[in-house]
Amino acid sequence: MMTFRIWPSQRIRQAVETGIIIPAMPLAPDQIQPASMDLRIADRAYRVPASFLPGPHRTVRERLTSLSTHVLDLTQPRVLERNCVHIIPLLEEIRLGPTTSARANPKSSSGRLDIFVRLITDYGTAFDDIPEGYQGPLFAEVVPRSFPVIVGRGTTLNQIRFRERGAGPAEAKRTSAVTINLQPTSPDRIIGYRARRAAGLVDLAAVGAHRRGDFWEPLTIEADRGDLVLVPDEFYILASFEDVRVEAGEAAEMIAYDTSVGEARVHYAGFLDPGFGLPEAGGTGSKVVLEVRSHDVPFLLEHGQHVGTLEYEPMLERPDQLYGQGIRSNYQGQGLKLSKQFR
Ligand SMILES: Nc1ccn([C@H]2C[C@H](O)[C@@H](COP(=O)(O)OP(=O)(O)OP(=O)(O)O)O2)c(=O)n1
Protein backbone atom coordinates (compact mmCIF):
# COMPACT_ATOMS: atom_id res chain seq x y z
CA MET A 1 0.00 0.00 0.00
CA MET A 2 1.20 3.49 -0.79
CA THR A 3 0.14 7.03 -0.11
CA PHE A 4 1.19 10.19 -1.87
CA ARG A 5 1.34 13.55 -0.15
CA ILE A 6 2.23 17.01 -1.42
CA TRP A 7 5.09 19.01 0.10
CA PRO A 8 3.95 22.21 1.84
CA SER A 9 5.84 25.53 1.69
CA GLN A 10 7.96 24.84 4.81
CA ARG A 11 9.14 21.49 3.37
CA ILE A 12 10.09 23.18 0.07
CA ARG A 13 12.07 25.83 1.99
CA GLN A 14 13.87 23.07 3.88
CA ALA A 15 14.69 21.34 0.57
CA VAL A 16 16.40 24.53 -0.61
CA GLU A 17 18.45 24.63 2.62
CA THR A 18 19.51 20.99 2.29
CA GLY A 19 20.47 21.15 -1.40
CA ILE A 20 17.57 19.12 -2.82
CA ILE A 21 16.56 22.22 -4.73
CA ILE A 22 19.55 24.15 -6.04
CA PRO A 23 18.80 27.70 -7.21
CA ALA A 24 21.45 29.35 -9.41
CA MET A 25 20.50 32.69 -7.83
CA PRO A 26 19.01 33.42 -4.39
CA LEU A 27 15.28 32.72 -4.30
CA ALA A 28 12.96 35.59 -5.10
CA PRO A 29 10.45 36.72 -2.45
CA ASP A 30 7.13 34.87 -2.87
CA GLN A 31 8.73 32.18 -5.02
CA ILE A 32 7.61 29.49 -2.59
CA GLN A 33 3.83 29.15 -2.56
CA PRO A 34 1.64 27.05 -0.19
CA ALA A 35 2.06 23.82 -2.21
CA SER A 36 4.46 24.67 -5.03
CA MET A 37 7.50 26.62 -6.07
CA ASP A 38 7.59 29.02 -9.02
CA LEU A 39 10.40 28.23 -11.47
CA ARG A 40 12.44 31.09 -12.98
CA ILE A 41 13.81 31.26 -16.51
CA ALA A 42 17.59 31.64 -16.80
CA ASP A 43 19.82 33.60 -19.22
CA ARG A 44 19.06 32.18 -22.66
CA ALA A 45 16.13 31.10 -24.79
CA TYR A 46 16.84 28.62 -27.59
CA ARG A 47 14.56 28.87 -30.64
CA VAL A 48 13.84 25.40 -32.01
CA PRO A 49 11.78 24.47 -35.08
CA ALA A 50 9.54 22.06 -33.18
CA SER A 51 8.71 20.83 -29.72
CA PHE A 52 10.53 17.68 -28.59
CA LEU A 53 11.17 15.24 -25.74
CA PRO A 54 14.77 14.10 -25.29
CA GLY A 55 13.82 10.44 -24.72
CA PRO A 56 15.61 7.93 -22.47
CA HIS A 57 19.10 8.28 -23.95
CA ARG A 58 19.68 12.02 -24.32
CA THR A 59 19.94 15.17 -22.26
CA VAL A 60 18.05 18.31 -23.26
CA ARG A 61 21.36 20.13 -23.92
CA GLU A 62 22.52 17.36 -26.26
CA ARG A 63 19.27 17.70 -28.20
CA LEU A 64 19.56 21.49 -28.29
CA THR A 65 23.01 21.32 -29.88
CA SER A 66 21.50 19.96 -33.06
CA LEU A 67 18.06 21.61 -32.93
CA SER A 68 18.64 25.17 -31.79
CA THR A 69 18.43 27.71 -34.63
CA HIS A 70 18.80 30.97 -32.69
CA VAL A 71 19.64 32.06 -29.14
CA LEU A 72 18.05 35.01 -27.31
CA ASP A 73 20.02 36.67 -24.50
CA LEU A 74 17.59 37.03 -21.60
CA THR A 75 19.86 39.13 -19.40
CA GLN A 76 17.94 41.98 -21.14
CA PRO A 77 14.14 41.91 -21.60
CA ARG A 78 13.32 40.11 -24.88
CA VAL A 79 10.25 39.38 -26.97
CA LEU A 80 9.11 35.80 -27.39
CA GLU A 81 7.10 35.78 -30.61
CA ARG A 82 3.74 34.07 -31.06
CA ASN A 83 3.73 30.43 -32.14
CA CYS A 84 7.53 30.09 -31.93
CA VAL A 85 8.91 27.26 -29.78
CA HIS A 86 11.54 28.29 -27.22
CA ILE A 87 13.45 26.02 -24.87
CA ILE A 88 14.61 27.93 -21.78
CA PRO A 89 16.86 26.53 -19.03
CA LEU A 90 15.47 27.27 -15.56
CA LEU A 91 17.42 28.72 -12.64
CA GLU A 92 16.47 25.79 -10.39
CA GLU A 93 18.06 22.34 -10.48
CA ILE A 94 16.78 19.46 -8.38
CA ARG A 95 18.17 16.34 -6.70
CA LEU A 96 15.12 14.32 -5.69
CA GLY A 97 15.34 11.46 -3.22
CA PRO A 98 14.06 7.97 -4.12
CA THR A 99 10.56 8.56 -2.71
CA THR A 100 9.97 12.04 -4.12
CA SER A 101 8.54 12.80 -7.55
CA ALA A 102 7.35 16.12 -8.94
CA ARG A 103 4.93 17.61 -11.40
CA ALA A 104 4.98 20.95 -13.15
CA ASN A 105 2.19 23.13 -14.50
CA PRO A 106 1.89 26.60 -16.01
CA LYS A 107 1.20 29.38 -13.54
CA SER A 108 -2.30 30.69 -13.57
CA SER A 109 -1.09 33.96 -15.12
CA SER A 110 0.61 32.07 -18.00
CA GLY A 111 -2.60 30.14 -18.67
CA ARG A 112 -4.70 33.29 -18.62
CA LEU A 113 -2.31 34.84 -21.17
CA ASP A 114 -2.44 31.79 -23.44
CA ILE A 115 1.25 31.05 -23.03
CA PHE A 116 1.82 27.34 -23.58
CA VAL A 117 4.45 26.16 -21.06
CA ARG A 118 5.66 22.63 -20.34
CA LEU A 119 8.54 21.32 -18.28
CA ILE A 120 11.22 19.08 -19.85
CA THR A 121 13.90 17.08 -18.04
CA ASP A 122 16.99 15.22 -19.20
CA TYR A 123 16.12 11.73 -20.47
CA GLY A 124 12.45 12.75 -20.19
CA THR A 125 9.75 10.77 -21.93
CA ALA A 126 6.80 12.90 -20.79
CA PHE A 127 6.16 16.60 -20.33
CA ASP A 128 5.59 18.04 -16.85
CA ASP A 129 6.18 14.74 -14.99
CA ILE A 130 9.43 14.32 -13.07
CA PRO A 131 10.12 10.76 -11.93
CA GLU A 132 11.19 9.76 -8.42
CA GLY A 133 14.89 10.29 -7.83
CA TYR A 134 15.45 12.70 -10.76
CA GLN A 135 18.70 14.60 -10.41
CA GLY A 136 19.46 17.31 -12.90
CA PRO A 137 18.49 20.51 -14.65
CA LEU A 138 15.00 21.68 -15.58
CA PHE A 139 13.91 23.35 -18.82
CA ALA A 140 10.72 25.06 -19.93
CA GLU A 141 9.25 24.79 -23.39
CA VAL A 142 7.48 28.11 -24.01
CA VAL A 143 5.14 29.01 -26.89
CA PRO A 144 3.15 32.26 -26.62
CA ARG A 145 -0.10 31.65 -28.51
CA SER A 146 -2.29 34.77 -28.49
CA PHE A 147 0.15 37.60 -27.70
CA PRO A 148 3.91 38.11 -28.09
CA VAL A 149 5.33 38.52 -24.57
CA ILE A 150 8.33 40.29 -23.00
CA VAL A 151 10.33 38.15 -20.57
CA GLY A 152 13.77 38.27 -18.98
CA ARG A 153 15.96 36.31 -16.59
CA GLY A 154 13.91 35.53 -13.49
CA THR A 155 10.46 35.62 -15.14
CA THR A 156 8.28 32.85 -13.71
CA LEU A 157 6.07 30.99 -16.18
CA ASN A 158 5.52 27.63 -14.54
CA GLN A 159 5.64 25.99 -11.13
CA ILE A 160 6.59 22.68 -9.56
CA ARG A 161 4.82 20.55 -6.97
CA PHE A 162 6.63 17.80 -5.04
CA ARG A 163 4.93 14.54 -4.09
CA GLU A 164 6.18 12.20 -1.35
CA ARG A 165 5.47 8.47 -1.45
CA GLY A 166 4.90 6.80 1.89
CA ALA A 167 3.53 3.62 3.41
CA GLY A 168 -0.09 3.51 4.45
CA PRO A 169 -3.50 2.66 3.16
CA ALA A 170 -4.16 4.05 -0.32
CA GLU A 171 -6.86 6.70 -0.24
CA ALA A 172 -9.22 7.38 -3.14
CA LYS A 173 -8.73 10.91 -4.50
CA ARG A 174 -11.64 13.22 -3.83
CA THR A 175 -12.84 14.82 -7.06
CA SER A 176 -15.35 17.47 -8.06
CA ALA A 177 -16.72 18.56 -11.42
CA VAL A 178 -16.01 21.94 -12.99
CA THR A 179 -18.63 23.29 -15.36
CA ILE A 180 -18.76 26.42 -17.52
CA ASN A 181 -20.75 29.48 -16.53
CA LEU A 182 -22.60 31.17 -19.39
CA GLN A 183 -25.15 33.11 -17.33
CA PRO A 184 -24.60 36.79 -16.53
CA THR A 185 -23.64 37.26 -12.88
CA SER A 186 -22.88 41.00 -12.94
CA PRO A 187 -24.76 44.07 -14.29
CA ASP A 188 -22.34 44.39 -17.25
CA ARG A 189 -23.42 40.87 -18.38
CA ILE A 190 -19.80 39.99 -19.26
CA ILE A 191 -19.30 36.22 -19.10
CA GLY A 192 -15.92 35.97 -20.79
CA TYR A 193 -13.26 37.51 -23.00
CA ARG A 194 -11.88 36.69 -26.42
CA ALA A 195 -8.26 37.50 -27.24
CA ARG A 196 -7.89 40.15 -29.92
CA ARG A 197 -5.84 39.34 -32.98
CA ALA A 198 -2.86 41.58 -33.69
CA ALA A 199 -2.85 43.12 -30.22
CA GLY A 200 0.36 44.55 -28.77
CA LEU A 201 3.08 43.07 -26.61
CA VAL A 202 2.41 41.93 -23.07
CA ASP A 203 5.26 42.77 -20.69
CA LEU A 204 4.96 40.10 -18.02
CA ALA A 205 6.73 42.27 -15.45
CA ALA A 206 4.30 45.18 -15.94
CA VAL A 207 1.51 44.20 -13.55
CA GLY A 208 -1.64 46.28 -14.04
CA ALA A 209 -0.07 48.27 -16.88
CA HIS A 210 -1.98 47.01 -19.93
CA ARG A 211 -5.42 48.29 -21.00
CA ARG A 212 -7.69 45.27 -21.17
CA GLY A 213 -9.67 46.60 -24.14
CA ASP A 214 -6.54 46.65 -26.31
CA PHE A 215 -6.07 42.91 -25.86
CA TRP A 216 -9.47 41.45 -25.03
CA GLU A 217 -12.94 41.70 -26.46
CA PRO A 218 -15.56 41.32 -23.69
CA LEU A 219 -18.31 38.79 -24.36
CA THR A 220 -21.75 39.63 -23.03
CA ILE A 221 -24.74 37.34 -22.93
CA GLU A 222 -28.52 37.64 -22.56
CA ALA A 223 -29.96 35.99 -19.45
CA ASP A 224 -32.15 33.63 -21.51
CA ARG A 225 -29.39 32.50 -23.88
CA GLY A 226 -27.02 30.18 -22.05
CA ASP A 227 -24.73 29.17 -24.90
CA LEU A 228 -21.77 30.49 -26.85
CA VAL A 229 -20.40 29.51 -30.25
CA LEU A 230 -16.63 29.15 -30.13
CA VAL A 231 -14.90 30.27 -33.31
CA PRO A 232 -12.15 27.79 -34.27
CA ASP A 233 -8.69 28.69 -32.99
CA GLU A 234 -9.82 31.79 -31.13
CA PHE A 235 -8.83 31.90 -27.45
CA TYR A 236 -11.43 32.49 -24.74
CA ILE A 237 -11.26 33.16 -21.01
CA LEU A 238 -14.35 31.93 -19.17
CA ALA A 239 -15.10 31.12 -15.53
CA SER A 240 -16.43 28.12 -13.69
CA PHE A 241 -20.03 28.03 -12.52
CA GLU A 242 -18.90 26.47 -9.23
CA ASP A 243 -17.34 28.30 -6.32
CA VAL A 244 -14.18 26.35 -5.60
CA ARG A 245 -12.77 25.63 -2.17
CA VAL A 246 -9.47 23.94 -1.36
CA GLU A 247 -9.02 23.12 2.34
CA ALA A 248 -5.82 23.94 4.23
CA GLY A 249 -4.68 20.31 4.31
CA GLU A 250 -5.08 19.58 0.60
CA ALA A 251 -4.04 20.78 -2.85
CA ALA A 252 -5.98 20.40 -6.08
CA GLU A 253 -5.22 19.94 -9.74
CA MET A 254 -7.65 20.56 -12.58
CA ILE A 255 -7.72 17.84 -15.22
CA ALA A 256 -9.42 18.29 -18.60
CA TYR A 257 -12.72 16.36 -18.56
CA ASP A 258 -12.43 14.65 -21.90
CA THR A 259 -10.37 16.33 -24.56
CA SER A 260 -11.82 14.21 -27.35
CA VAL A 261 -15.45 15.12 -26.65
CA GLY A 262 -15.13 18.56 -25.16
CA GLU A 263 -13.87 20.79 -27.92
CA ALA A 264 -13.48 23.22 -25.06
CA ARG A 265 -9.98 22.47 -23.86
CA VAL A 266 -9.11 23.22 -20.26
CA HIS A 267 -5.55 22.85 -21.06
CA TYR A 268 -3.13 25.06 -19.29
CA ALA A 269 -3.00 26.12 -15.66
CA GLY A 270 -4.26 23.48 -13.33
CA PHE A 271 -2.73 23.84 -9.84
CA LEU A 272 -4.95 25.20 -7.09
CA ASP A 273 -3.33 26.14 -3.78
CA PRO A 274 -4.38 25.09 -0.27
CA GLY A 275 -6.66 27.84 1.00
CA PHE A 276 -7.88 28.89 -2.47
CA GLY A 277 -11.55 29.77 -2.04
CA LEU A 278 -11.51 29.34 1.76
CA PRO A 279 -13.65 31.96 3.52
CA GLU A 280 -11.11 32.35 6.37
CA ALA A 281 -8.42 33.19 3.80
CA GLY A 282 -10.65 35.76 2.06
CA GLY A 283 -11.70 33.41 -0.69
CA THR A 284 -15.50 33.36 -0.61
CA GLY A 285 -16.88 32.96 -4.12
CA SER A 286 -13.61 32.00 -5.86
CA LYS A 287 -14.12 30.66 -9.38
CA VAL A 288 -11.57 28.85 -11.48
CA VAL A 289 -10.62 30.41 -14.75
CA LEU A 290 -11.09 28.25 -17.82
CA GLU A 291 -8.93 28.70 -20.88
CA VAL A 292 -10.92 27.53 -23.81
CA ARG A 293 -10.19 26.96 -27.46
CA SER A 294 -12.17 25.17 -30.13
CA HIS A 295 -10.33 23.20 -32.78
CA ASP A 296 -11.29 22.63 -36.40
CA VAL A 297 -15.01 23.45 -36.29
CA PRO A 298 -17.23 26.03 -34.58
CA PHE A 299 -18.43 24.52 -31.31
CA LEU A 300 -21.55 25.31 -29.31
CA LEU A 301 -20.62 25.53 -25.66
CA GLU A 302 -23.52 25.37 -23.22
CA HIS A 303 -24.02 26.72 -19.74
CA GLY A 304 -23.26 23.98 -17.22
CA GLN A 305 -21.19 21.91 -19.64
CA HIS A 306 -18.70 19.69 -17.79
CA VAL A 307 -15.20 20.72 -18.89
CA GLY A 308 -12.86 19.81 -16.06
CA THR A 309 -12.43 17.75 -12.93
CA LEU A 310 -10.66 18.88 -9.78
CA GLU A 311 -8.60 16.16 -8.09
CA TYR A 312 -7.73 16.84 -4.47
CA GLU A 313 -4.62 15.38 -2.84
CA PRO A 314 -3.56 15.48 0.80
CA MET A 315 -0.66 17.66 1.94
CA LEU A 316 2.20 16.15 3.95
CA GLU A 317 1.54 18.87 6.56
CA ARG A 318 -0.60 21.98 6.66
CA PRO A 319 1.37 24.74 4.85
CA ASP A 320 2.64 27.58 7.03
CA GLN A 321 0.90 30.03 4.67
CA LEU A 322 -2.36 29.60 2.81
CA TYR A 323 -3.26 31.13 -0.53
CA GLY A 324 -4.51 34.65 0.13
CA GLN A 325 -3.02 34.92 3.63
CA GLY A 326 -0.17 37.39 3.90
CA ILE A 327 1.29 36.41 0.52
CA ARG A 328 0.92 38.07 -2.88
CA SER A 329 -2.22 36.33 -4.11
CA ASN A 330 -3.81 37.83 -7.17
CA TYR A 331 -6.72 35.50 -7.75
CA GLN A 332 -8.27 34.86 -4.31
CA GLY A 333 -12.00 35.59 -4.17
CA GLN A 334 -12.08 36.27 -7.91
CA GLY A 335 -14.99 35.91 -10.30
CA LEU A 336 -14.01 36.20 -13.94
CA LYS A 337 -10.50 37.68 -13.91
CA LEU A 338 -7.92 38.30 -16.60
CA SER A 339 -4.24 37.91 -15.76
CA LYS A 340 -2.71 40.43 -13.38
CA GLN A 341 -0.98 42.37 -16.23
CA PHE A 342 -4.31 43.98 -17.27
CA ARG A 343 -6.23 46.85 -15.72
N1 LIG B 1 -7.13 27.65 -14.14
C1 LIG B 1 -6.90 28.16 -12.94
C2 LIG B 1 -5.74 27.79 -12.20
C3 LIG B 1 -5.55 28.37 -10.95
N2 LIG B 1 -6.45 29.24 -10.46
C4 LIG B 1 -6.24 29.87 -9.13
C5 LIG B 1 -5.97 28.83 -8.07
C6 LIG B 1 -4.57 29.07 -7.64
O1 LIG B 1 -4.40 28.79 -6.28
C7 LIG B 1 -4.39 30.54 -7.95
C8 LIG B 1 -2.96 30.96 -8.15
O2 LIG B 1 -2.35 30.16 -9.08
P1 LIG B 1 -0.84 30.37 -9.49
O3 LIG B 1 0.03 30.35 -8.29
O4 LIG B 1 -0.59 29.48 -10.62
O5 LIG B 1 -0.98 31.88 -10.03
P2 LIG B 1 0.05 33.00 -10.24
O6 LIG B 1 1.36 32.68 -9.63
O7 LIG B 1 -0.01 33.37 -11.65
O8 LIG B 1 -0.65 34.14 -9.38
P3 LIG B 1 -0.41 34.58 -7.89
O9 LIG B 1 0.47 35.77 -8.08
O10 LIG B 1 -1.76 34.93 -7.35
O11 LIG B 1 0.24 33.44 -7.15
O12 LIG B 1 -5.14 30.74 -9.14
C9 LIG B 1 -7.56 29.58 -11.19
O13 LIG B 1 -8.38 30.37 -10.73
N3 LIG B 1 -7.78 29.05 -12.41
Side-chain angles (χ1 to χ4, degrees), residues 33 38 106-109 112 159 254 269-273 276 287-289 291 323 328-331 334 340:
Q33 300 278 313
D38 291 348
K107 295 212 323 160
S108 188
S109 300
R112 287 165 204 243
Q159 56 191 321
M254 185 158 54
F271 284 173
L272 278 70
D273 293 289
F276 182 73
K287 311 283 184 189
V288 253
V289 154
E291 305 129 28
Y323 192 72
R328 176 185 49 90
S329 301
N330 290 291
Y331 304 122
Q334 65 178 359
K340 56 196 168 202

Side-chain angles (χ1 to χ4, degrees), residues 183-191 219-223:
Q183 294 283 352
T185 55
S186 55
D188 61 14
R189 291 187 291 113
I190 296 175
I191 47 91
L219 303 171
T220 55
I221 200 158
E222 304 302 329

Side-chain angles (χ1 to χ4, degrees), residues 6 12 52 75 82 87 93 102 134 150 156 182 220 240 278-279:
I6 307 287
I12 300 174
F52 68 89
T75 58
R82 291 178 50 203
I87 306 295
E93 273 204 31
Y134 178 78
I150 302 179
T156 54
L182 293 178
T220 55
S240 67
L278 267 197

Side-chain angles (χ1 to χ4, degrees), residues 113 146-149 193-203 209-218 235 338 341-343:
L113 281 167
S146 286
F147 313 115
V149 294
Y193 292 91
R194 180 162 54 203
R196 290 194 191 280
R197 300 251 175 210
L201 290 165
V202 179
D203 181 350
H210 305 70
R211 263 202 310 265
R212 74 176 57 196
D214 294 347
F215 295 83
W216 300 97
E217 180 191 338
F235 178 74
L338 294 169
Q341 286 80 9
F342 300 100
R343 60 179 142 91

